[in-house]
Amino acid sequence: MPAPLLPLPAVITAEDLVGKIKQYFRSKDLDLVWLAYEVAESAHRGQTRKSGEPYITHPLAVAYILASLRIDLPIVIAALLHDVPEDTAVTLEEIEKNFGADVASMIRGITKLGKLKYRGVERYIENLRKMFVAMAEDVRVMIIKFADRVHNLLTLEALEEEKRYRVALESLEIFAPIANRLGMGEFKGLLEDLSFPWVYPKEYERVKRLRDELLSGSEAVIESVLNRLREELTASGIRYLDIHGRKKQLYSFYQKLLKKEGETEKIYDIIALRIIVPDVSDCYAALGVLHKLWRPLKGRIKDYIAQPKPNGYQSLHTTVFCANGQVVEFQIRTLAMHQEAEYGVAAHWHYDEGGRRLPSRDIGWAKELARIQQEVLVSASALEELKVDFFRSRIFVFTPAGDVIDLPEDATPVDFAYHIHSEVGNTCTGTRVNDQLVGLDTLLKSGDVVEIITDKNRRGPSPDWLKIAKTHVARSHIKSGLKRSPLDGWIKLILPKRKRV
Ligand code: MN
């Protein structure tokens, strides 16, 4: 079973990395790994990270993360060397001479991506374009880039606040969706949960508390459910390789809360129990056993084996009522499907427990994705569509000074005003969108230039604004502006209609 990638050891040495590789790579010949380490170490010698640590700790950690994924050697070697041509005197030509064209071309791809900056919508689209090109050329570049980003997020503390925010926001809004599109569930979850506290610190704390609250006491129930299930599977002669539970990741829980308007009883997968079985027929047999044991919830049985998700994800999902009304989601899949779900496109370069590469699986969808993107990138208008498709739920609007404010779809000038500053919101009396006076309930579109008209004598928000504000920031400011009761916390806001089941 794939082991969790985090936490990383506090100190990672070249020996640790080689030890990790030996767990899955049978060949004794790891000379190239040692050489790559030595080249990187001497090239980065004297350089330090913002934390003060020697620079080499970074490429070592990136390579270690990838080795934990049991990934093919050239990718690990490229990871060790990934910052060398950009930041040191050693050139790409020298790397190519020592490590061959394949490793050099991956590093070229990473260097091309360069040190991207998140600076408003123009650069944002430019970043996306660069990433699609890199991905279309060689998806391994993105795999290294994700590991690189995970380590950067882990060491974000050392950066200045503004840079910290930018890196986290970019990871959340660009890297995570791409990892998701590539079917790399593990990386998507890591990128999101590592960025979440830096981008939305308050929401992070609250969501974490809420999840813990909802989960408290469920461990015993889950344990008895699992025992009952194991018994029944064995009695029915159904083989299984592993059964485990996983907590919903925080950012994905947060997104669900927003979607379900805080009605936690409509979120069934805060804990999901996974059954990993040898083959597809066992999946359906296990589903039958589950439904014989416990009553399934209507409309919650999903056959992603017969109809995989667009990113290639396969599993059977069902939600059942277990003992004393506890509602539990089950995900049933084969080991191959499980590895695909965790690693996505990276599974193609992954070694199994026996130290062999997995049988070459169909990664047609990934190639197709890359091909479509390459075609789409030809025209700028198509690029807009791509952006819309990727970030369907966000819009970008401008202040009269040209600053980009990003808001959820259907946001109104009231949301915009509170995003500028709570005082701007509280003193807002009207708005001009693209130089036209319009109502405060106007739905904003990407590209709109929004100007807020304020009056210092205004005494606070209008209760009607609660009906037109879509963002939590705006709604919570409006609420506290309306009545400054200490009970008007955020939990109440996101749980407006909480009912008992
Ligand atoms: Mn790096």
Side-chain angles (χ1 to χ4, degrees):
M1 258 349 92
L5 284 179
L6 299 183
L8 293 179
V11 179
I12 299 167
T13 63
E15 284 77 13
D16 296 332
L17 173 64
V18 168
K20 201 79 188 169
I21 296 170
K22 280 183 176 159
Q23 287 176 9
Y24 65 94
F25 194 72
R26 288 285 167 84
S27 161
K28 293 278 170 291
D29 182 20
L30 293 177
D31 287 358
L32 268 188
V33 177
W34 283 109
L35 183 64
Y37 168 72
E38 279 155 22
V39 169
E41 197 279 328
S42 84
H44 289 298
R45 198 172 296 160
Q47 297 176 344
T48 52
R49 303 201 85 214
K50 278 272 159 59
S51 61
E53 288 178 296
Y55 196 87
I56 188 68
T57 55
H58 168 63
L60 262 178
V62 176
Y64 188 89
I65 290 170
L66 291 167
S68 307
L69 286 174
R70 312 171 70 89
I71 224 156
D72 201 12
L73 224 47
I75 300 180
V76 178
I77 291 170
L80 275 171
L81 296 163
H82 80 272
D83 282 329
V84 164
E86 183 158 344
D87 295 340
T88 79
V90 179
T91 64
L92 207 52
E93 289 68 42
E94 290 167 75
I95 288 177
E96 179 153 2
K97 237 181 277 162
N98 284 300
F99 301 96
D102 188 42
V103 166
S105 106
M106 278 186 266
I107 297 171
R108 186 175 299 114
I110 296 162
T111 310
K112 249 197 265 170
L113 280 176
K115 292 196 166 94
L116 299 176
K117 299 240 153 62
Y118 187 94
R119 278 196 198 131
V121 72
E122 288 304 313
R123 293 295 289 266
Y124 188 74
I125 293 173
E126 178 61 15
N127 289 356
L128 270 182
R129 197 187 62 78
K130 279 191 189 174
M131 268 181 244
F132 287 140
V133 171
M135 195 156 74
E137 279 170 6
D138 187 345
V139 86
R140 294 176 302 172
V141 168
M142 287 311 294
I143 298 172
I144 298 171
K145 199 70 201 166
F146 292 143
D148 179 46
R149 192 41 78 103
V150 163
H151 187 247
N152 286 337
L153 289 170
L154 283 169
T155 49
L156 219 49
E157 198 97 41
L159 302 188
E160 313 88 76
E161 198 182 331
E162 197 198 314
K163 190 157 184 215
R164 216 152 55 193
Y165 177 77
R166 178 177 60 69
V167 170
L169 186 63
E170 186 189 62
S171 306
L172 200 57
E173 302 217 322
I174 298 184
F175 284 86
I178 293 178
N180 184 42
R181 279 296 181 95
L182 291 174
M184 300 172 72
E186 170 101 25
F187 270 124
K188 175 208 171 242
L190 285 179
L191 290 164
E192 285 181 346
D193 278 16
L194 292 172
S195 309
F196 189 16
W198 302 106
V199 179
Y200 305 107
K202 284 186 191 144
E203 286 83 349
Y204 174 80
E205 285 305 324
R206 285 158 181 161
V207 165
K208 202 167 122 143
R209 217 179 308 135
L210 181 59
R211 187 184 69 172
D212 291 346
E213 250 168 54
L214 291 168
L215 288 179
S216 77
S218 62
E219 259 165 51
V221 181
I222 295 300
E223 206 37 58
S224 81
V225 165
L226 287 179
N227 286 335
R228 184 81 190 83
L229 177 66
R230 287 194 192 98
E231 269 171 37
E232 198 64 28
L233 286 174
T234 309
S236 314
I238 296 164
R239 303 161 298 164
Y240 60 88
L241 302 171
D242 189 47
I243 301 182
H244 63 264
R246 75 104 188 86
K247 282 191 225 171
K248 194 164 187 63
Q249 296 209 277
L250 282 173
Y251 189 70
S252 128
F253 180 44
Y254 172 59
Q255 294 296 95
K256 250 312 178 24
L257 278 171
L258 296 181
K259 210 161 107 193
K260 304 279 180 193
E261 296 181 311
E263 293 180 74
T264 50
E265 68 277 11
K266 283 190 186 160
I267 302 176
Y268 301 114
D269 60 348
I270 298 174
I271 290 189
L273 299 180
R274 287 186 181 138
I275 310 175
I276 315 293
V277 296
D279 57 49
V280 172
S281 61
D282 301 315
C283 291
Y284 291 97
L287 185 72
V289 167
L290 275 180
H291 287 171
K292 204 172 73 188
L293 268 178
W294 297 297
R295 188 164 59 86
L297 227 79
K298 237 176 113 186
R300 295 279 309 167
I301 307 166
K302 291 172 194 157
D303 186 349
Y304 295 121
I305 294 180
Q307 283 173 312
K309 287 191 187 180
N311 68 1
Y313 177 84
Q314 289 191 296
S315 276
L316 298 176
H317 286 195
T318 186
T319 306
V320 299
F321 294 101
C322 294
N324 38 10
Q326 176 89 21
V327 175
V328 179
E329 178 175 300
F330 281 91
Q331 303 172 351
I332 311 168
R333 46 175 86 150
T334 65
L335 183 59
M337 289 172 195
H338 184 53
Q339 286 175 337
E340 186 93 38
E342 300 286 288
Y343 302 140
V345 68
H348 192 62
W349 292 277
H350 166 83
Y351 281 76
D352 70 7
E353 321 277 287
R356 287 177 311 267
R357 287 275 282 274
L358 291 175
S360 166
R361 65 193 65 252
D362 180 20
I363 55 158
W365 59 269
K367 288 194 189 129
E368 181 68 7
L369 181 73
R371 190 185 63 74
I372 292 166
Q373 274 151 5
Q374 214 158 18
E375 281 175 11
V376 157
L377 286 170
V378 175
S379 77
S381 66
L383 198 61
E384 280 298 315
E385 266 177 58
L386 196 67
K387 186 197 76 186
V388 169
D389 181 33
F390 246 81
F391 304 100
R392 200 185 290 280
S393 52
R394 308 297 292 180
I395 58 166
F396 297 87
V397 295
F398 297 87
T399 67
D403 291 326
V404 179
I405 306 287
D406 108 55
L407 292 169
E409 225 174 21
D410 293 338
T412 61
V414 172
D415 295 296
F416 178 89
Y418 279 101
H419 270 253
I420 302 289
H421 196 279
S422 58
E423 263 322 287
V424 176
N426 286 335
T427 57
C428 161
T429 55
T431 184
R432 274 189 208 96
V433 174
N434 305 325
D435 287 324
Q436 299 285 312
L437 271 171
V438 295
L440 285 172
D441 59 352
T442 305
L443 298 186
L444 298 175
K445 301 180 306 300
S446 268
D448 283 343
V449 178
V450 186
E451 186 188 343
I452 298 296
I453 304 159
T454 58
D455 177 354
K456 285 209 175 74
N457 297 320
R458 192 185 167 98
R459 298 195 45 205
S462 147
D464 289 339
W465 291 359
L466 281 174
K467 292 184 204 123
I468 53 181
K470 305 293 172 12
T471 60
H472 292 299
V473 174
R475 296 179 60 83
S476 73
H477 282 311
I478 295 167
K479 277 225 160 179
S480 62
L482 285 174
K483 48 174 175 158
R484 299 181 189 275
S485 152
L487 289 175
D488 270 288
W490 184 85
I491 296 290
K492 265 181 79 186
L493 281 178
I494 65 160
L495 301 174
K497 285 178 274 181
R498 192 171 184 188
K499 296 173 293 227
R500 296 306 312 163
V501 205

